[in-house]
Amino acid sequence: MCGAHISRSVRPLAQRGDLGSRLRASSSTFVEPQRAEVADTLLLVQLLQAYRSHGHLSATLDPLQRLRGPWFTECQKWTSPRNALLDRVGQLDRRLSADEKASWLAAQIGMELPTSSSRRFFLGGALSAGEPLSLDTWSLPAVVEHMQDAYCGTLTAELDHLTSQEEQRWLADKIERRESISAPERVRILSTLVHADEFERFLALHFPKSKRFGVEGCEALLPGVDALIGRCASGGVRRIEVGMAHRGRLSLLCNLLHKPPGALFAQMENGQSDYRVGDVKYHLGDTATLAFGERQEIRVSIAPNPSHLEAVNPVVMGLVRAVQTRLETGGRRSVAGLLIHGDAAFAGLGIVAECLQLSNTPGFTVGGMLHIVVNNQVGFTTAPREGRSSAHATDLAKAVGAPVLHANADDPEAVVAACRIAADWRHRFHKDVVVDLGCSFNRHGHNELDDPQATLPLTYERIQAHPRVLDLYAARLQQQGLIPPTLLDSLKAEVQAKFEEEFAAYEAGLYREQPRDWLATSWQGDALQVIPFYCCQEPTGLPLATLQWVGRSVCAAPADFSRHPEVDRLCVSRLAMVEDKDSRVDFGMAEALAFGTLALHRGDADAASGLNLGAYAVRLSGQDVERGTFNHRHAVQYDCRTAKRRVALDEIQPGMQERVEVWNSPLSEAGVLGFEYGYSLGNERRGLTVFEAQFGDFVNNAQCIIDQFISAGEERWGQTSGLVLQLPHGFEGQGPDHSSARVERFLQLANDDADHLPGNSPAQLREISATFACRQANLFVVCATTPAQLFHALRRQMNRPFVKPLVLLTPKWLLHHRPATSALADFTAGTFFNRVIDDGKAVNHATGEAFLLPPEQIRRVILCCGQIYYHLSLARRARRIRDTVLVRLEQITPFPSDLLFKVIAQYGNAEVVWCQEEPKNMGAHFYIKPRLATAMRDLGLPAGMHPRPLRYVGRSASASVATASIAIHRIETKNIIDSALSPAPIEADVKI
Ligand SMILES: Cc1ncc(C[n+]2csc(CCOP(=O)(O)OP(=O)(O)O)c2C)c(N)n1
C-alpha cells in the first residue's frame, strides 16, 4: 500500500532499508502524506549532515585533478550510509532544468513524494544561508547546490571532530555563508600574485644555479597569508610570530615582509663575505611592521630555523607565549603564532604531534596556533601513499579538535576565505586551526636543481601543461568584468621594474653584507654587544634578611589552605633551614631561594649595592616538575579539601615580585624543550626559563633542539638564549637509562678549542674581531655539588651582562642526603658561584683543625665532578687519608683553566687523578684531559715543578651507560673509590 506512493526509480532504494522504509514500518498510525513529508525532510537533513561530515572527501582540492589515492576510496567506503547519499547526488548535471534536477535528486536520495522545484522543505535552523538565500523553506535543488558549493568546491572544512556543538555550528555557518570578497580585495589578491609569480621568474632567470624552494604551484599562499595577517590585525592582534620551512620563504620575506630584493640577491650566490655567514638564505628570519587600513599596524617576524623540518614549531610557540606573558595588555589575543608546514613533514614528523598536544594545556597554550600546510602532495620524491597512512596530510590535527579547512590553491579566493575563517576561529575559540592548501605540485620539482621527471613522469607532463595560478585568476577576473584587460600587464611591468632596479643596486655593490642583515631584528638580543671575559665570579649572594624573608614566605601557607601532611612536614623542615646563618639548606630549598629571590623586585638598598638582584619572571616546566620527580620540590601545592592549586613562590610578596610559574608538561622532550627555548628568547632577559628533564637521559629525545638551537643558535642566527636545562644525573644503580644526562654530548658541542686557551688562538682572535667580540662560549655546563652552588649558578644566569644557555646537571640521591647541605652563610652577601672547589683547606668543624696535610705533603689530587665527590670524601674520611685533596670541577665548560691551573700548581708533589662515575668513553674525561694539558702548558708551571701524568679512574669504556644490577653497580663504585684513593697502578697516558 505504501509502495504505491513511491516512484519506480526510488523503490529499490527504499527497499534497501533506507530511512523512508524504516519509518514506514514503525509508524502505522501516522497520516500517510504527513509521514512521507517528514520522512523526506529527514532524508534531506541526513543529506545536509553528509555534506558536513564527508563533503571534504568529494571536494575539488587537487588542481591537477589526479586520481585520488586508495586511501580516499577506502574512506568513502567507511562513511556509508551517510556518504552514500553524497555519492548519489554527486553527479548532478547542473544543466538540467530546475524541475528535472528536483525529480532526479529526489529519486537519488530515495524520497517518497513526487518532487519538483516548487516542492519546499522546511529546514528550520538545520540550514541557513546568507542573502539572497536567507530562506525558511528550500527547494531540493537549492539545498543540494548550496551544499555542493559550500563543501564540495574549492573550499571545504572538516567539522565532525570538533569538540562542541557551538564550534561545529560556527564553522558550518562560516562555510555555508561564505563571506564575499570585495573588488578592491580582488585587486589586492591579483597584485600579490603578480609579485609572487614575477619573483620566482626573476630568480630563475638571474640565479638559475641557486636553490630557492620556489612556491610555484602554490603562489596563492601569499595572498592567503596576507589575508590572514590582515584579519588578525583587524581582530586586535598586534604581533605575529611565524615559523616556516623552506617552501616559499624567500617570496614571503621579500613580497610580504618587504625584505629588499637586492639584499636577497646578494645572498643568492652564497659567495665570499667579510662576515661569517651563519646560515643559508632560506633559513633566515626577518621582521617587518605591516599596515592594514589606517590604524592597524602589526609586527610580523619570521623566526630563523634549521633545515630540520618542523623543529621550529615549538620554538615559535614558546616565543609567542613569552611575548603574550610579557605584554601587559591584550594577553593571548594580541600576539599570535603562525606555522607554515609542508604536507609530508606535517604528516610524518613526531614533533608536530608533540606541539599539537601542548596546544590546549594550561602551561603551554598560546590561545591557538594558526597552521597553513602547503600541500604539494609530495615530500621531495615521496608520494603521499608512501608518506603517510591518513587520508589527509592534516589528519593529526583532528586529534586535538582543531578545525581543518581545505582550499584548492588554484583558487586564490578560496585560499583567502579559508585563511580569514582561520583567523576568525582563533579570535573566537582561542584554539589551533589548520588551513590545508591543496596545490598538488612544485612546478620545478623539489628545489629547481633536480629533475622531478624521473620519479613523477606523468605528473610532470601534466604540470607543464597546467596554467599558472596568476593567469587563471587574471582570466577569471577579466571574464567577470572585474578588472580592465590592461591591469595585469601594468602590474607586471611595475613589479618587474622594481626587481630590475634592485638587481642593479645589488650589482653596484649597494647590498654588501652586514652581520645585521642575517640577524632577524627581533632575535638578535645582545649578539653584537661586546662583553668582558666570561669567567668572572660575579657575587650573587644576598643579605641574610632577604633570604630569610623569602624562605619563610615559601614555607608559609594561607590560614584557609589545608596542605597535605607530607608537604606540611617538608615546609616545617625547610623553615628551620633559614633560622640563622649556621642552618643547613638542602638542594630543594636552595632552588626555591634562587627562584624566589630572582622574582623579587629590587629594593633601594639592592640598587645601591650595584647588583642586578631581581625582578625576573621565573618559569619552570617539564614532566612532573610541580612536585618534583624525586619528591623534593612541591612547588605547586594542593588544598586537601578543595584541590585548589597554589604556587607558594608566586605569593612571596604580591605586587612586589615577578611571576613564578611552575608547570607540569605533557610527556614530551623535543616539544617542551623547543617551547622553553622559544620562551627564553621571548623573555628578552626579563626572566629565567628552566626546562627540567625527568631523568637526564631523556633529553636526547630533543637532540635536534639541543644541536640546532641551544648550541648553535647564537652562531647561526645571532639568537641568544639564557635557557637552563636541569638534567638529573648520577649513577645510582638504576640501570642503563636513569643514570646519565650524557654530559659528553653537551661537552662535545662546546665551541672552545682544546689546544688553545679561550681568546688566545690566532684564529679565534681573527674571527672575533671580524664578527662578534662576544662570541666565545656557546653554552655552559655546570654540575653543582652543593645547594649553595646550585643557588648561585641559577642566580648567576641572570646576574651578568650576557646570555648563554646553561646545562645544569642536578642531583637525585643527594637531594635527600644530609651531608649534601650548605650553610645558609654560603648564600649570603658577597658569596658567589665557585667554578672549582678545592677542599685542601678543609677543617674539622668540631676542633677547627686542618683535616689534610699542608700542600707540599699532599700526594694525590683527585679531580672530579658531581656526586662521586661524596663517595670519595666519605671513604677518605673513613680511611683517615690526609694526603689526598679532592678538587671538584663545578663548571665544566667554559673550562676553568685559570683556576684549575692554580689549584694543581699548589700541590707540586702530588699525582693528578681524574675520577668519574661514567664509563671511560663517556662523562667529562675526554673533555678535561686535553684542556688541562693545554692550561699547564700555556699558563706556565712554577719554577722547579714538572708536568705530571693524569691518571684516569672510572668505569671502563662501554657501549651501554650502566649496569642494571645494583650489586654490580656497588662493586664498580667501590673499585673506583679504591683505585682513586690508592697510588697509581699503571702509567697514565697524558702529561699535565
Ligand atoms: C627532519 C628532516 N628530515 C628530512 C629532511 C630532508 N628534506 C628536506 S625537504 C624534504 C621534503 C619535505 O616535504 P614537504 O614537507 O611536503 O615539503 P615540500 O618540500 O614538499 O614543500 C625532506 C625530506 C629535512 N629537511 N628535515
Side-chain angles (χ1 to χ4, degrees), residues 213-214 245-248 283 306-311 341-349 351 373-382 439 441-442 445-447 704:
F213 296 105
H246 47 280
R247 181 78 51 219
H283 289 164
S307 203
H308 298 61
L309 295 166
E310 309 289 337
H341 317 261
D343 54 316
F346 191 85
L349 285 164
I351 198 164
V373 177
V374 177
N375 189 348
N376 46 31
Q377 297 210 36
V378 67
F380 203 164
T381 66
T382 300
C439 49
F441 61 87
N442 297 320
H446 180 62
N447 64 16
C704 166

Side-chain angles (χ1 to χ4, degrees), residues 303-526:
N305 59 270
S307 203
H308 298 61
L309 295 166
E310 309 289 337
V312 78
N313 301 357
V315 176
V316 171
M317 288 172 73
L319 177 69
V320 170
R321 170 101 177 195
V323 180
Q324 289 174 341
T325 309
R326 199 153 52 70
L327 289 187
E328 269 154 30
T329 53
R332 306 233 176 282
R333 187 159 282 189
S334 63
V335 185
L338 165 64
L339 296 174
I340 303 177
H341 317 261
D343 54 316
F346 191 85
L349 285 164
I351 198 164
V352 175
E354 290 191 29
C355 289
L356 287 168
Q357 287 300 354
L358 293 180
S359 65
N360 288 331
T361 59
F364 299 86
T365 180
V366 294
M369 287 296 285
L370 301 154
H371 302 264
I372 297 181
V373 177
V374 177
N375 189 348
N376 46 31
Q377 297 210 36
V378 67
F380 203 164
T381 66
T382 300
R385 81 189 122 74
E386 302 158 320
R388 63 176 195 258
S389 300
S390 55
H392 291 294
T394 47
D395 280 352
L396 203 60
K398 294 201 276 185
V400 295
V404 182
L405 295 139
H406 302 277
N408 183 325
D410 261 7
D411 179 358
E413 290 185 13
V415 172
V416 164
C419 288
R420 285 179 175 171
I421 295 173
D424 290 348
W425 166 274
R426 179 187 185 268
H427 189 74
R428 174 76 181 73
F429 295 106
H430 322 298
K431 286 171 150 181
D432 282 29
V433 52
V434 180
V435 176
D436 175 29
L437 299 188
C439 49
S440 86
F441 61 87
N442 297 320
R443 189 169 284 279
H444 300 295
H446 180 62
N447 64 16
E448 300 86 26
L449 299 189
D450 60 19
D451 182 2
Q453 306 256 5
T455 49
L456 292 167
L458 297 183
T459 306
Y460 271 85
E461 250 173 44
R462 298 185 69 167
I463 292 170
Q464 311 288 308
H466 192 75
R468 296 176 81 87
V469 178
L470 172 64
D471 296 333
L472 283 173
Y473 190 59
R476 176 170 149 191
L477 294 191
Q478 274 172 28
Q479 263 168 20
Q480 292 170 348
L482 292 169
I483 57 165
T486 53
L487 182 66
L488 179 62
D489 287 342
S490 66
L491 282 173
K492 279 184 176 179
E494 204 180 295
V495 174
Q496 279 163 8
K498 186 174 108 188
F499 288 148
E500 290 295 354
E501 199 180 303
E502 287 285 314
F503 192 72
Y506 145 69
E507 285 199 311
L510 296 185
Y511 284 106
R512 277 179 68 83
E513 272 190 292
Q514 303 291 326
R516 281 180 196 279
D517 290 342
W518 54 269
L519 298 180
T521 49
S522 64
W523 295 73
Q524 69 190 13
D526 60 353

Side-chain angles (χ1 to χ4, degrees), residues 431-682:
K431 286 171 150 181
D432 282 29
V433 52
V434 180
V435 176
D436 175 29
L437 299 188
C439 49
S440 86
F441 61 87
N442 297 320
R443 189 169 284 279
H444 300 295
H446 180 62
N447 64 16
E448 300 86 26
L449 299 189
D450 60 19
D451 182 2
Q453 306 256 5
T455 49
L456 292 167
L458 297 183
T459 306
Y460 271 85
E461 250 173 44
R462 298 185 69 167
I463 292 170
Q464 311 288 308
H466 192 75
R468 296 176 81 87
V469 178
L470 172 64
D471 296 333
L472 283 173
Y473 190 59
R476 176 170 149 191
L477 294 191
Q478 274 172 28
Q479 263 168 20
Q480 292 170 348
L482 292 169
I483 57 165
T486 53
L487 182 66
L488 179 62
D489 287 342
S490 66
L491 282 173
K492 279 184 176 179
E494 204 180 295
V495 174
Q496 279 163 8
K498 186 174 108 188
F499 288 148
E500 290 295 354
E501 199 180 303
E502 287 285 314
F503 192 72
Y506 145 69
E507 285 199 311
L510 296 185
Y511 284 106
R512 277 179 68 83
E513 272 190 292
Q514 303 291 326
R516 281 180 196 279
D517 290 342
W518 54 269
L519 298 180
T521 49
S522 64
W523 295 73
Q524 69 190 13
D526 60 353
L528 298 178
Q529 278 178 27
V530 176
I531 55 160
F533 191 56
Y534 58 74
C535 285
C536 51
Q537 302 205 326
E538 306 85 355
T540 39
L542 289 167
L544 183 64
T546 309
L547 297 165
Q548 288 179 320
W549 166 258
V550 172
R552 286 174 191 142
S553 304
V554 295
C555 294
D560 60 348
F561 192 87
S562 173
R563 280 194 303 224
H564 186 276
E566 192 187 317
V567 181
D568 231 16
R569 266 196 302 281
L570 183 90
C571 291
V572 169
S573 72
R574 287 201 170 154
L575 202 54
M577 295 180 192
V578 290
E579 249 165 30
D580 57 53
K581 66 184 177 39
D582 294 327
S583 312
R584 308 287 303 173
V585 180
D586 70 6
F587 275 103
M589 185 61 162
E591 182 193 82
L593 288 174
F595 291 164
T597 53
L598 282 172
L600 276 191
H601 287 178
R602 278 163 243 178
D604 290 343
D606 302 334
S609 75
L611 280 178
N612 190 10
L613 288 170
Y616 296 108
V618 175
R619 176 183 163 95
L620 166 67
S621 90
Q623 291 150 38
D624 307 295
V625 296
E626 295 184 357
R627 189 204 73 167
T629 299
F630 310 103
N631 204 16
H632 68 289
R633 184 173 287 128
H634 288 281
V636 177
Q637 301 169 357
Y638 292 90
D639 188 306
C640 288
R641 292 161 311 183
T642 62
K644 189 175 166 221
R645 180 187 197 271
R646 75 181 277 264
V647 179
L649 280 162
D650 206 26
E651 297 173 11
I652 302 169
Q653 206 174 4
M656 296 290 288
Q657 69 167 100
E658 292 303 303
R659 184 134 189 239
V660 179
E661 292 177 68
V662 183
W663 296 110
N664 280 348
S665 75
L667 208 167
S668 142
E669 280 84 24
V672 174
L673 183 60
F675 187 100
E676 297 307 341
Y677 173 78
Y679 197 96
S680 74
L681 301 174

Side-chain angles (χ1 to χ4, degrees), residues 809-820:
L809 304 180
T810 52
K812 296 176 287 177
W813 153 71
L814 293 185
L815 293 170
H816 305 289
H817 182 53
R818 170 94 193 138

